[in-house]
């Protein structure tokens, strides 16, 4: 977001339902308040337990419905 307020127009919603805006000055579309996906501690522990038992990060991601990058980052 560029910080300008006069040349901003609303431009629908993204797939998660949050409002999108468009800056006429810079020609960029952005999300006003992006939602952060956070997994609870129990899900993290479960993912790591499965991963350390020998299952690949990709498979853990598929089993728990998350990105494999989350598993590798944890």
């Amino acid at each position: 977001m560029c910080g300008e307020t006069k040349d901003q127009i609303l431009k629908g919603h993204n797939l998660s339902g949050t409002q999108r805006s468009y800056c006429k000055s810079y020609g960029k579309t952005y999300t006003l308040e992006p939602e952060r996906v956070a997994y609870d501690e129990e899900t993290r522990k479960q993912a790591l337990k499965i991963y350390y038992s020998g299952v690949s990060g990709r498979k853990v991601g598929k089993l728990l419905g998350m990105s494999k990058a989350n598993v590798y980052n944890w």
Side-chain angles (χ1 to χ4, degrees):
M1 186 160 85
C2 62
E4 286 289 326
T5 55
K6 69 176 185 157
D7 288 335
Q8 306 298 313
I9 58 173
L10 298 180
K11 191 163 180 152
H13 295 82
N14 62 15
L15 292 176
S16 68
T18 55
Q19 181 68 55
R20 299 282 291 161
S21 291
Y22 178 75
C23 177
K24 290 181 185 178
S25 300
Y26 289 92
K28 300 285 182 183
T29 304
Y30 60 93
T31 303
L32 289 172
E33 296 177 15
E35 289 185 9
R36 303 286 183 222
V37 177
Y39 296 99
D40 59 14
E41 191 62 33
E42 187 60 36
T43 304
R44 289 181 185 201
K45 286 180 183 178
Q46 184 181 12
L48 290 176
K49 185 176 180 181
I50 296 169
Y51 180 71
Y52 285 129
S53 71
V55 179
S56 71
R58 182 177 182 179
K59 184 71 171 179
V60 173
K62 284 189 175 200
L63 288 171
L64 298 178
M66 64 178 64
S67 170
K68 66 181 179 190
N70 291 331
V71 180
Y72 293 132
N73 288 334
W74 294 333

